[in-house]
Amino acid sequence: MPGALRVRVVRSAEELSPGLDALVSASGAPFYFGREFLTAYEHYPVQAVADRYYLEAYDAEEELLGFAPCHVQADPLGALGLAAGEMALVSNLWHCPDSHLVAVQRRPEVAAALLEAMGRCAAEAGLARYGFVNVEVDSPSAAALEAAGLTGTPIDKRYALDLSSFTTEDEYLATLSGSTRHEYRRQLRRAAGAGAEMSMRTATAHEEVERFRLLEISAARFGSAGYYDAQRIVDFLAMMQKAARINEIRLDGELLAIGILFAEDRKLHTWAAGYDRERELPFSPYYLLHASAVRYALELGLPVLEGGRRNDDFKMRFGMAQKPLAAYLGS
């Protein structure tokens, strides 16, 4: 029952439990729920956050059992049908495409205790709606939220590529259709012939803002203007040097495409990407971004490449599994 658990409400990432990262790791939740990402996003939110409530659920022995980072945000993707200017209290963030109820054992009472606390925080903030967004359908988190009384509403899809059985790029390509494999190699041959260069590096504390304008342009082209802000991204990356990687495609020294990825113990997350579609080229920079990410994941021995959302056809052609996402909201 909810009353058997104590939920601690924390308003700053600096006050989070020392045991948080261990809980996140043991629960199988992605790094978006860990201290590094939450601290960076708190200081430099890429998408505006009006307020935040970090919820920690403890049992009678004061063991940390569950966690839900909650943020007061608008709906930049139009997924929840909020009214103009309306906000909701959501967990985790819109820039987290894989939300979890963070717990080693996702029992209904843990979900109920966190949801009850979320409701109180939402009421305090004057919000009508609260809950979890971007939860994978049929996942343990979804099952716990459903057992706690919420119904999921489909809102999006994300994609993931299982690389666990591959040690080389050719082994991966062998699993694709002949036409897809041919096009992949054709694009890379054309890029090599033109002199294009692919590079992957660790993010620095002093990234150049102009490099990330391509993210703004690409988001606007796909109907999500304002989803990325180059200056906010640079500020955010300054605090993400442990996990963040920068994927760059250049031709004659000019930046054609850029991607932001996050590396953790078992996954490489492709988080954001943008490329120049105005310049006439004999190849697609997007193919090179994908190839570079696959090669880097294989180099690190990571079994999963998370592909994020959107660009469905490309991702499915290149072997990524579709993961339907739902929102679980209370009011």
Side-chain angles (χ1 to χ4, degrees):
M1 298 295 293
L5 300 177
R6 178 179 73 88
V7 177
R8 175 177 177 245
V9 180
V10 179
R11 304 302 298 276
S12 168
E14 295 178 357
E15 300 173 14
L16 288 167
S17 167
L20 174 63
D21 285 339
L23 174 67
V24 172
S25 177
S27 73
F31 88 107
Y32 296 109
F33 293 83
R35 190 180 306 274
E36 182 187 19
F37 183 84
L38 292 174
T39 299
Y41 211 101
E42 180 178 309
H43 283 82
Y44 300 109
V46 179
Q47 189 65 228
V49 174
D51 209 343
R52 61 193 55 81
Y53 301 82
Y54 303 115
L55 308 182
E56 300 174 342
Y58 294 86
D59 65 11
E61 285 72 42
E62 289 299 298
E63 179 183 356
L64 180 62
L65 298 183
F67 176 61
C70 304
H71 300 84
V72 178
Q73 287 194 295
D75 182 6
L77 300 177
L80 304 180
L82 300 182
E86 184 181 2
M87 293 189 175
L89 184 66
V90 298
S91 183
N92 181 358
L93 289 151
W94 285 110
H95 276 127
C96 168
D98 182 16
S99 285
H100 287 232
L101 171 70
V102 180
V104 176
Q105 297 181 4
R106 294 175 174 84
R107 300 196 302 266
E109 60 266 30
V110 176
L114 290 170
L115 287 168
E116 182 182 13
M118 285 182 76
R120 292 196 305 268
C121 293
E124 175 185 311
L127 303 173
R129 288 197 272 185
Y130 61 90
F132 290 73
V133 297
N134 295 331
V135 178
E136 184 178 332
V137 172
D138 295 329
S139 66
S141 292
L145 293 168
E146 290 166 3
L150 296 185
T151 300
T153 300
I155 59 170
D156 212 332
K157 300 175 288 291
R158 79 171 212 281
Y159 293 87
L161 178 59
D162 183 354
L163 295 170
S164 60
S165 60
F166 311 131
T167 57
T168 67
E169 182 181 19
D170 284 341
E171 289 176 354
Y172 157 62
L173 292 175
T175 66
L176 307 179
S177 71
S179 60
T180 298
R181 184 167 57 249
H182 171 76
E183 182 61 17
Y184 180 96
R185 287 173 170 157
R186 186 176 75 93
Q187 292 287 342
L188 267 63
R189 281 197 307 271
R190 287 187 168 190
E197 298 178 338
M198 299 186 291
S199 65
M200 187 78 70
R201 60 180 177 80
T202 301
T204 72
H206 305 287
E207 295 289 342
E208 296 176 15
V209 173
E210 290 306 312
R211 288 181 178 176
F212 297 90
R213 298 293 182 200
L214 287 172
L215 300 182
E216 297 179 348
I217 294 169
S218 291
R221 186 172 61 244
F222 288 106
S224 299
Y227 191 64
Y228 293 117
D229 178 279
Q231 182 63 63
R232 289 182 180 180
I233 286 173
V234 166
D235 293 338
F236 168 73
L237 288 174
M239 298 186 69
M240 288 294 299
Q241 293 170 62
K242 179 180 178 182
R245 305 291 185 269
I246 307 299
N247 190 1
E248 293 179 322
I249 312 300
R250 293 182 178 275
L251 181 62
D252 298 328
E254 181 181 350
L255 184 67
L256 298 181
I258 192 165
I260 300 173
L261 304 90
F262 299 119
E264 59 175 333
D265 289 344
R266 292 183 53 80
K267 294 183 178 183
L268 180 65
H269 300 261
T270 55
W271 188 65
Y275 63 102
D276 185 354
R277 295 190 64 172
E278 302 301 321
R279 182 170 173 177
E280 291 189 10
L281 296 165
F283 61 91
S284 167
Y286 193 79
Y287 275 78
L288 273 64
L289 286 174
H290 177 67
S292 183
V294 169
R295 291 173 180 179
Y296 190 63
L298 290 171
E299 177 187 333
L300 296 180
L302 300 177
V304 178
L305 174 63
E306 286 282 351
R309 297 163 290 194
R310 306 294 190 272
N311 210 352
D312 306 63
D313 291 343
F314 180 95
K315 291 172 181 177
M316 287 191 289
R317 279 193 293 116
F318 281 89
M320 293 193 176
Q322 189 179 90
K323 310 285 186 179
L325 302 176
Y328 290 84
L329 298 183
S331 58

